[in-house]
Amino acid sequence: MILGVRRGTVKIVPYQEKWKDTFLLEKKLLQAILGSIALSIEHIGSTAIEGLQAKPIIDIAVKIDDIKTIQSLVAKLTVIGYQERVNRLEGPQRVFAKQDEEHIVTHHLHFIQGNYPEWNRKLLFRDYLRTNETIKREYETMKLHLMELYSDQRGNYTSMKKEFIDSVVEKAEKER
């Protein structure tokens, strides 16, 4: 199984069934650490979309009541390999990444305060791609093209996807 990408780079690989199992193992580990603080733990991002080529990084969203409670868990998250990233996101969110000594990132962990709209956005996008083959293939084609352009510019790769993601979320909201 292919898992991990050097920090700051983009590599897209064919979908792998093992990503589901990898998520489930990490979810159990996180549940043990987070306990009742985690209201929900969801597999998000492209590795959560069956059949979609993706960066081999497991994206996990954790819904919590109050983002401030994460501060008390940073040491425990560090022990299992997570490091907090500079938060460039708006609103009550915190992001951590699991990486090895060679800066190969295998997991992204997104803590989102439950009353913040970003929680629903992430799930809407994932669920829409899971049920709409045409949109899923459009997204895949765009990602492969962006990887060619920005393989060593992860920030650009990510920002160039924003408009597409926003439009899919908007469609999903209208169809709900």
Side-chain angles (χ1 to χ4, degrees), residues 26-27 29-31 33-42 44 59-78 80 82-85 87 89-98 108-116 118-119 122:
E26 198 70 13
K27 180 178 179 178
L29 179 62
L30 290 167
Q31 285 172 323
I33 290 171
L34 301 173
S36 63
I37 289 173
L39 303 176
S40 182
I41 300 175
E42 296 285 337
I44 61 168
D59 283 297
I60 301 168
V62 180
K63 181 179 183 179
I64 57 175
D65 272 332
D66 185 352
I67 200 68
K68 294 174 192 159
T69 60
I70 296 307
Q71 193 57 43
S72 65
L73 298 167
V74 170
K76 289 181 181 179
L77 291 169
T78 301
I80 63 168
Y82 284 98
Q83 299 172 353
E84 187 162 14
R85 294 289 188 239
N87 192 358
L89 305 171
E90 295 178 14
Q93 301 181 73
R94 289 180 73 175
V95 179
F96 292 74
K98 185 179 259 191
H108 286 144
L109 184 57
H110 306 258
F111 287 98
I112 305 168
Q113 195 163 295
N115 62 353
Y116 186 59
E118 189 61 22
W119 175 261
K122 288 188 182 307

Side-chain angles (χ1 to χ4, degrees), residues 6 9 38 41 54 88 152 163 173:
R6 181 166 304 283
T9 66
I41 300 175
R88 293 183 180 95
D152 290 325
E163 187 177 319
E173 286 173 337

Side-chain angles (χ1 to χ4, degrees), residues 134-151:
T134 301
I135 298 296
K136 177 169 73 173
R137 293 299 156 220
E138 284 179 27
Y139 186 53
E140 181 176 75
T141 299
M142 180 191 65
K143 287 175 13 148
L144 290 167
H145 176 70
L146 291 174
M147 177 186 69
E148 289 177 20
L149 296 174
Y150 303 114
S151 64

